[in-house]
Amino acid sequence: MFQILFYLYLFWRLYIMYFKKVYLNGRPGRLTASNVCKSLLAVILIGLVIRLLHELFIGYDQSSDNTREAPPVEPPSDENKIKITDLVYFDISINGAPTERIVFGLFGDVVPITVKNFVTLSGNDAGNGYKSTKLHRVIKNFVIQGGDYTIGNGTGGRSVYGGNGTFADENFKLKHYGPRWVAMANYGPNTNTSQFAIMMVVAPWLDGHHVIFGYVINGAATLDVIQNVATDDNDRPLSDIVIVDCGSLDIQGHSYVTLPAMAE
């Protein structure tokens, strides 16, 4: 509408200049350069005002761009995506309620030793892995912790690699990018056991101290329920949060996770 008004005004102004001779000086029929410039300047200024009003009250009209082909969306570069090599599920019950499933995508190409430990413990029978264990530590908007299948309170845990039950930090290539990233819990350098931590916040202060090895690809709503469970003064849940069942899933259909912008 505003564009139509602009063109109507333009034709009206030209009509005034050339036919009515409102801006003629001197002998009738002779145009002066000064009055022509004034008329053109007036047209430009009025056009700018009309355009401004159009953008403020209606929005920029992009109809002239409808025939332009949209630029292609670039797929994530190899540096910004990480391949999922394994899928592990936890079926979790809170205080005996029906289970809800959490699915982890694991990064075996980056940290194969750490992933093997987690996958093996997920597939073991109760007493030798994660099955029937409890999530023992919950801090809202920070972390959900579990994996202590030997004692159950966060002071135990054992890896699948024998010896004293611990294994070394594999690498720190992946960071604590935000909620749903999964890290190994430890009590110092090179003390990884079976305990894990599901992050619920960006935590750069933990980078270089805990090995990231996975990401929760399904079950974000369940994580939100868990992190809102009431806890005692030691961050131990007052409700039993039990991994009723766990194991591996078919990897088909889950090829990679795109790293967030902060990873670049």
Side-chain angles (χ1 to χ4, degrees):
M1 182 63 184
F2 280 105
Q3 288 181 336
I4 294 174
L5 291 176
F6 168 71
Y7 289 120
L8 288 175
Y9 176 81
L10 176 62
F11 286 121
W12 173 78
R13 188 60 116 178
L14 292 175
Y15 171 77
I16 293 296
M17 283 174 51
Y18 292 103
F19 298 100
K20 290 292 187 179
K21 302 181 179 62
V22 171
Y23 294 118
L24 295 178
N25 284 332
R27 190 174 60 186
R30 188 181 68 188
L31 293 172
T32 66
S34 174
N35 285 323
V36 170
C37 290
K38 288 179 182 179
S39 296
L40 292 176
L41 180 61
V43 169
I44 293 171
L45 290 176
I46 295 297
L48 290 175
V49 171
I50 292 174
R51 191 66 171 183
L52 178 61
L53 291 174
H54 181 272
E55 292 188 19
L56 287 175
F57 296 103
I58 294 182
Y60 176 64
D61 182 7
Q62 294 180 323
S63 59
S64 60
D65 296 331
N66 287 343
T67 58
R68 296 182 184 179
E69 186 175 344
V73 178
E74 294 294 331
S77 67
D78 289 340
E79 293 78 15
N80 292 334
K81 65 181 181 181
I82 179 169
K83 182 180 179 181
I84 294 175
T85 58
D86 301 86
L87 291 178
V88 163
Y89 72 91
F90 283 2
D91 287 338
I92 293 179
S93 174
I94 301 175
N95 267 355
T99 60
E100 298 288 344
R101 176 162 290 191
I102 294 173
V103 179
F104 303 88
L106 307 179
F107 311 128
D109 286 348
V110 179
V111 280
I113 295 172
T114 308
V115 166
K116 180 182 177 181
N117 183 67
F118 190 80
V119 170
T120 303
L121 291 169
S122 298
N124 286 350
D125 294 332
N128 293 306
Y130 298 139
K131 188 176 295 184
S132 299
T133 63
K134 299 177 182 178
L135 301 182
H136 60 264
R137 186 180 185 222
V138 174
I139 302 177
K140 185 176 181 180
N141 296 325
F142 178 43
V143 71
I144 297 169
Q145 196 167 327
D148 181 0
Y149 70 92
T150 61
I151 298 177
N153 61 5
T155 62
R158 189 175 185 85
S159 76
V160 300
Y161 296 117
N164 64 358
T166 66
F167 66 100
D169 297 321
E170 196 165 358
N171 63 62
F172 301 109
K173 292 180 180 179
L174 300 175
K175 311 302 180 183
H176 295 73
Y177 302 119
R180 299 162 64 179
W181 290 86
V182 188
M184 291 300 296
N186 60 43
Y187 50 91
N190 302 313
T191 58
N192 299 287
T193 58
S194 55
Q195 291 194 46
F196 59 88
I198 304 172
M199 303 309 302
M200 300 302 294
V201 69
V202 180
W205 63 90
L206 298 179
D207 294 345
H209 300 284
H210 298 270
V211 176
I212 295 287
F213 65 92
Y215 181 78
V216 175
I217 61 173
N218 285 316
T222 301
L223 293 181
D224 192 55
V225 172
I226 292 172
Q227 76 162 340
N228 282 285
V229 168
T231 59
D232 64 17
D233 292 339
N234 293 315
D235 303 316
R236 295 176 182 172
L238 299 178
S239 302
D240 289 338
I241 309 172
V242 180
I243 303 172
V244 175
D245 195 15
C246 53
S248 296
L249 295 171
D250 186 356
I251 192 65
Q252 185 176 1
H254 299 277
S255 59
Y256 64 86
V257 170
T258 301
L259 297 179
M262 65 171 287
E264 298 177 359

Short mmCIF file of all heavy atoms in Angstrom, two decimals, residues 213-254:
data_model
loop_
_atom_site.label_atom_id
_atom_site.label_comp_id
_atom_site.label_asym_id
_atom_site.label_seq_id
_atom_site.Cartn_x
_atom_site.Cartn_y
_atom_site.Cartn_z
N PHE A 213 32.09 -38.61 27.40
CA PHE A 213 32.04 -39.77 26.50
C PHE A 213 30.68 -40.00 25.86
O PHE A 213 30.54 -40.92 25.05
CB PHE A 213 32.47 -41.04 27.25
CG PHE A 213 31.54 -41.46 28.36
CD1 PHE A 213 30.50 -42.36 28.12
CD2 PHE A 213 31.69 -40.95 29.65
CE1 PHE A 213 29.65 -42.75 29.14
CE2 PHE A 213 30.84 -41.34 30.67
CZ PHE A 213 29.81 -42.24 30.42
N GLY A 214 29.66 -39.21 26.20
CA GLY A 214 28.34 -39.46 25.64
C GLY A 214 27.41 -38.29 25.76
O GLY A 214 27.76 -37.23 26.32
N TYR A 215 26.20 -38.49 25.24
CA TYR A 215 25.17 -37.45 25.23
C TYR A 215 23.80 -38.14 25.29
O TYR A 215 23.58 -39.17 24.64
CB TYR A 215 25.27 -36.63 23.95
CG TYR A 215 24.28 -35.50 23.83
CD1 TYR A 215 24.48 -34.31 24.52
CD2 TYR A 215 23.15 -35.61 23.02
CE1 TYR A 215 23.58 -33.25 24.41
CE2 TYR A 215 22.25 -34.57 22.91
CZ TYR A 215 22.47 -33.39 23.60
OH TYR A 215 21.57 -32.36 23.49
N VAL A 216 22.89 -37.60 26.09
CA VAL A 216 21.55 -38.17 26.20
C VAL A 216 20.74 -37.71 24.99
O VAL A 216 20.36 -36.54 24.89
CB VAL A 216 20.87 -37.73 27.51
CG1 VAL A 216 19.42 -38.24 27.54
CG2 VAL A 216 21.63 -38.25 28.72
N ILE A 217 20.48 -38.64 24.06
CA ILE A 217 19.76 -38.28 22.83
C ILE A 217 18.26 -38.41 22.99
O ILE A 217 17.50 -37.81 22.21
CB ILE A 217 20.26 -39.11 21.64
CG1 ILE A 217 20.01 -40.59 21.87
CG2 ILE A 217 21.73 -38.84 21.38
CD1 ILE A 217 20.31 -41.44 20.64
N ASN A 218 17.80 -39.18 23.96
CA ASN A 218 16.37 -39.32 24.25
C ASN A 218 16.18 -39.38 25.77
O ASN A 218 16.98 -40.03 26.46
CB ASN A 218 15.77 -40.59 23.63
CG ASN A 218 15.57 -40.46 22.14
OD1 ASN A 218 15.09 -39.44 21.65
ND2 ASN A 218 15.95 -41.49 21.40
N GLY A 219 15.14 -38.71 26.26
CA GLY A 219 14.85 -38.76 27.68
C GLY A 219 15.12 -37.48 28.44
O GLY A 219 15.24 -37.49 29.67
N ALA A 220 15.15 -36.35 27.74
CA ALA A 220 15.41 -35.07 28.41
C ALA A 220 14.33 -34.76 29.44
O ALA A 220 14.63 -34.21 30.51
CB ALA A 220 15.50 -33.95 27.38
N ALA A 221 13.08 -35.11 29.13
CA ALA A 221 11.99 -34.85 30.08
C ALA A 221 12.18 -35.66 31.36
O ALA A 221 11.89 -35.18 32.46
CB ALA A 221 10.65 -35.17 29.44
N THR A 222 12.65 -36.88 31.22
CA THR A 222 12.90 -37.72 32.40
C THR A 222 14.03 -37.13 33.24
O THR A 222 13.96 -37.14 34.48
CB THR A 222 13.25 -39.15 31.96
OG1 THR A 222 12.17 -39.68 31.20
CG2 THR A 222 13.50 -40.04 33.16
N LEU A 223 15.06 -36.63 32.60
CA LEU A 223 16.14 -35.98 33.34
C LEU A 223 15.62 -34.80 34.14
O LEU A 223 16.05 -34.56 35.28
CB LEU A 223 17.24 -35.51 32.38
CG LEU A 223 18.04 -36.59 31.65
CD1 LEU A 223 19.10 -35.94 30.76
CD2 LEU A 223 18.69 -37.57 32.62
N ASP A 224 14.70 -34.05 33.54
CA ASP A 224 14.14 -32.89 34.24
C ASP A 224 13.35 -33.32 35.48
O ASP A 224 13.41 -32.67 36.52
CB ASP A 224 13.24 -32.10 33.29
CG ASP A 224 12.86 -30.75 33.86
OD1 ASP A 224 13.77 -29.98 34.22
OD2 ASP A 224 11.66 -30.46 33.94
N VAL A 225 12.62 -34.43 35.36
CA VAL A 225 11.89 -34.96 36.53
C VAL A 225 12.88 -35.37 37.61
O VAL A 225 12.70 -35.06 38.80
CB VAL A 225 11.01 -36.15 36.12
CG1 VAL A 225 10.41 -36.82 37.36
CG2 VAL A 225 9.90 -35.70 35.19
N ILE A 226 13.94 -36.06 37.21
CA ILE A 226 14.92 -36.54 38.18
C ILE A 226 15.59 -35.39 38.91
O ILE A 226 15.77 -35.42 40.13
CB ILE A 226 15.97 -37.42 37.48
CG1 ILE A 226 15.33 -38.72 36.98
CG2 ILE A 226 17.14 -37.73 38.41
CD1 ILE A 226 16.24 -39.56 36.10
N GLN A 227 15.97 -34.34 38.18
CA GLN A 227 16.70 -33.26 38.83
C GLN A 227 15.82 -32.45 39.78
O GLN A 227 16.33 -31.68 40.60
CB GLN A 227 17.35 -32.34 37.80
CG GLN A 227 16.41 -31.39 37.09
CD GLN A 227 17.15 -30.25 36.42
OE1 GLN A 227 18.31 -29.93 36.76
NE2 GLN A 227 16.49 -29.59 35.48
N ASN A 228 14.51 -32.65 39.70
CA ASN A 228 13.60 -31.95 40.61
C ASN A 228 13.15 -32.81 41.79
O ASN A 228 12.32 -32.38 42.59
CB ASN A 228 12.37 -31.46 39.83
CG ASN A 228 12.68 -30.20 39.03
OD1 ASN A 228 12.79 -29.11 39.59
ND2 ASN A 228 12.83 -30.36 37.72
N VAL A 229 13.71 -34.01 41.90
CA VAL A 229 13.41 -34.87 43.05
C VAL A 229 14.01 -34.24 44.31
O VAL A 229 15.13 -33.72 44.29
CB VAL A 229 13.97 -36.29 42.82
CG1 VAL A 229 13.94 -37.10 44.10
CG2 VAL A 229 13.18 -36.99 41.73
N ALA A 230 13.28 -34.30 45.41
CA ALA A 230 13.78 -33.76 46.68
C ALA A 230 15.02 -34.53 47.15
O ALA A 230 15.11 -35.75 46.97
CB ALA A 230 12.69 -33.82 47.74
N THR A 231 15.96 -33.81 47.75
CA THR A 231 17.19 -34.43 48.24
C THR A 231 17.47 -33.99 49.67
O THR A 231 16.89 -33.02 50.17
CB THR A 231 18.39 -34.03 47.35
OG1 THR A 231 18.51 -32.59 47.36
CG2 THR A 231 18.19 -34.49 45.92
N ASP A 232 18.41 -34.71 50.31
CA ASP A 232 18.81 -34.32 51.67
C ASP A 232 19.97 -33.32 51.59
O ASP A 232 20.33 -32.85 50.50
CB ASP A 232 19.16 -35.54 52.52
CG ASP A 232 20.37 -36.31 51.98
OD1 ASP A 232 21.13 -35.75 51.15
OD2 ASP A 232 20.56 -37.47 52.39
N ASP A 233 20.57 -33.03 52.72
CA ASP A 233 21.64 -32.03 52.77
C ASP A 233 22.90 -32.49 52.05
O ASP A 233 23.79 -31.68 51.77
CB ASP A 233 21.97 -31.69 54.22
CG ASP A 233 20.83 -30.94 54.91
OD1 ASP A 233 19.99 -30.36 54.19
OD2 ASP A 233 20.77 -30.96 56.17
N ASN A 234 23.00 -33.79 51.77
CA ASN A 234 24.16 -34.33 51.06
C ASN A 234 23.86 -34.60 49.59
O ASN A 234 24.61 -35.33 48.93
CB ASN A 234 24.63 -35.63 51.74
CG ASN A 234 25.18 -35.37 53.13
OD1 ASN A 234 25.95 -34.44 53.35
ND2 ASN A 234 24.76 -36.19 54.09
N ASP A 235 22.77 -34.03 49.08
CA ASP A 235 22.35 -34.16 47.68
C ASP A 235 21.93 -35.57 47.31
O ASP A 235 21.91 -35.93 46.14
CB ASP A 235 23.47 -33.69 46.73
CG ASP A 235 23.90 -32.26 47.01
OD1 ASP A 235 23.02 -31.41 47.23
OD2 ASP A 235 25.12 -32.00 47.04
N ARG A 236 21.56 -36.38 48.32
CA ARG A 236 21.08 -37.73 48.05
C ARG A 236 19.56 -37.69 47.89
O ARG A 236 18.87 -37.13 48.74
CB ARG A 236 21.48 -38.67 49.18
CG ARG A 236 22.99 -38.87 49.29
CD ARG A 236 23.35 -39.73 50.48
NE ARG A 236 24.80 -39.87 50.60
CZ ARG A 236 25.42 -40.44 51.64
NH1 ARG A 236 24.71 -40.92 52.65
NH2 ARG A 236 26.73 -40.54 51.64
N PRO A 237 19.04 -38.29 46.83
CA PRO A 237 17.59 -38.24 46.60
C PRO A 237 16.82 -38.90 47.73
O PRO A 237 17.22 -39.95 48.25
CB PRO A 237 17.43 -39.03 45.30
CG PRO A 237 18.76 -38.99 44.64
CD PRO A 237 19.76 -38.97 45.75
N LEU A 238 15.71 -38.29 48.11
CA LEU A 238 14.84 -38.87 49.13
C LEU A 238 13.92 -39.92 48.53
O LEU A 238 13.26 -40.66 49.26
CB LEU A 238 14.02 -37.77 49.80
CG LEU A 238 14.84 -36.69 50.53
CD1 LEU A 238 13.92 -35.62 51.12
CD2 LEU A 238 15.71 -37.32 51.61
N SER A 239 13.86 -40.00 47.21
CA SER A 239 13.12 -41.04 46.50
C SER A 239 14.12 -41.98 45.85
O SER A 239 15.21 -41.57 45.43
CB SER A 239 12.21 -40.44 45.43
OG SER A 239 11.30 -39.52 45.99
N ASP A 240 13.78 -43.25 45.75
CA ASP A 240 14.63 -44.22 45.07
C ASP A 240 14.53 -44.03 43.56
O ASP A 240 13.45 -44.19 42.97
CB ASP A 240 14.23 -45.65 45.44
CG ASP A 240 14.58 -46.00 46.89
OD1 ASP A 240 15.47 -45.34 47.45
OD2 ASP A 240 13.95 -46.92 47.43
N ILE A 241 15.64 -43.70 42.95
CA ILE A 241 15.70 -43.55 41.50
C ILE A 241 16.52 -44.72 40.97
O ILE A 241 17.75 -44.72 41.05
CB ILE A 241 16.34 -42.20 41.10
CG1 ILE A 241 15.66 -41.04 41.84
CG2 ILE A 241 16.27 -41.99 39.60
CD1 ILE A 241 16.34 -39.71 41.66
N VAL A 242 15.85 -45.73 40.47
CA VAL A 242 16.47 -47.02 40.19
C VAL A 242 16.58 -47.27 38.68
O VAL A 242 15.62 -47.04 37.93
CB VAL A 242 15.67 -48.17 40.84
CG1 VAL A 242 16.33 -49.51 40.55
CG2 VAL A 242 15.54 -47.94 42.33
N ILE A 243 17.75 -47.77 38.27
CA ILE A 243 17.93 -48.24 36.90
C ILE A 243 17.40 -49.68 36.87
O ILE A 243 18.12 -50.63 37.20
CB ILE A 243 19.41 -48.18 36.47
CG1 ILE A 243 19.95 -46.75 36.61
CG2 ILE A 243 19.57 -48.69 35.03
CD1 ILE A 243 21.44 -46.63 36.39
N VAL A 244 16.14 -49.83 36.51
CA VAL A 244 15.49 -51.14 36.55
C VAL A 244 16.09 -52.07 35.49
O VAL A 244 16.29 -53.26 35.73
CB VAL A 244 13.97 -50.99 36.33
CG1 VAL A 244 13.29 -52.36 36.25
CG2 VAL A 244 13.37 -50.16 37.46
N ASP A 245 16.37 -51.53 34.33
CA ASP A 245 16.95 -52.33 33.25
C ASP A 245 17.85 -51.44 32.42
O ASP A 245 17.69 -50.20 32.39
CB ASP A 245 15.84 -52.94 32.39
CG ASP A 245 16.35 -54.05 31.48
OD1 ASP A 245 17.47 -54.54 31.73
OD2 ASP A 245 15.63 -54.42 30.54
N CYS A 246 18.80 -52.05 31.74
CA CYS A 246 19.71 -51.29 30.88
C CYS A 246 20.38 -52.24 29.90
O CYS A 246 20.36 -53.46 30.07
CB CYS A 246 20.76 -50.54 31.71
SG CYS A 246 21.69 -51.57 32.87
N GLY A 247 20.97 -51.66 28.86
CA GLY A 247 21.63 -52.47 27.84
C GLY A 247 21.89 -51.67 26.60
O GLY A 247 21.75 -50.44 26.58
N SER A 248 22.27 -52.36 25.54
CA SER A 248 22.61 -51.72 24.27
C SER A 248 21.45 -51.76 23.30
O SER A 248 20.58 -52.64 23.37
CB SER A 248 23.83 -52.40 23.64
OG SER A 248 24.98 -52.24 24.44
N LEU A 249 21.42 -50.78 22.37
CA LEU A 249 20.40 -50.69 21.33
C LEU A 249 21.06 -50.69 19.96
O LEU A 249 22.26 -50.39 19.82
CB LEU A 249 19.58 -49.41 21.50
CG LEU A 249 18.72 -49.30 22.76
CD1 LEU A 249 18.16 -47.88 22.85
CD2 LEU A 249 17.60 -50.32 22.76
N ASP A 250 20.25 -50.96 18.95
CA ASP A 250 20.71 -50.87 17.57
C ASP A 250 21.10 -49.44 17.26
O ASP A 250 20.36 -48.49 17.56
CB ASP A 250 19.59 -51.34 16.63
CG ASP A 250 20.03 -51.41 15.17
OD1 ASP A 250 21.17 -51.04 14.87
OD2 ASP A 250 19.21 -51.85 14.34
N ILE A 251 22.25 -49.26 16.65
CA ILE A 251 22.76 -47.92 16.38
C ILE A 251 22.08 -47.25 15.20
O ILE A 251 22.17 -46.04 15.00
CB ILE A 251 24.29 -47.98 16.12
CG1 ILE A 251 24.91 -46.58 16.12
CG2 ILE A 251 24.57 -48.69 14.80
CD1 ILE A 251 24.85 -45.89 17.44
N GLN A 252 21.35 -47.97 14.37
CA GLN A 252 20.79 -47.44 13.13
C GLN A 252 19.90 -46.22 13.40
O GLN A 252 19.05 -46.23 14.28
CB GLN A 252 19.96 -48.52 12.43
CG GLN A 252 19.43 -48.08 11.07
CD GLN A 252 18.69 -49.20 10.36
OE1 GLN A 252 18.56 -50.29 10.92
NE2 GLN A 252 18.21 -48.94 9.16
N GLY A 253 20.12 -45.17 12.62
CA GLY A 253 19.30 -43.97 12.71
C GLY A 253 19.86 -42.91 13.64
O GLY A 253 19.30 -41.82 13.74
N HIS A 254 20.97 -43.17 14.30
CA HIS A 254 21.59 -42.18 15.19
C HIS A 254 23.08 -42.12 14.86
O HIS A 254 23.88 -42.83 15.45
CB HIS A 254 21.37 -42.54 16.65
CG HIS A 254 19.95 -42.61 17.06
ND1 HIS A 254 19.23 -41.49 17.42
CD2 HIS A 254 19.09 -43.65 17.16
CE1 HIS A 254 17.99 -41.84 17.74
NE2 HIS A 254 17.88 -43.15 17.58
#
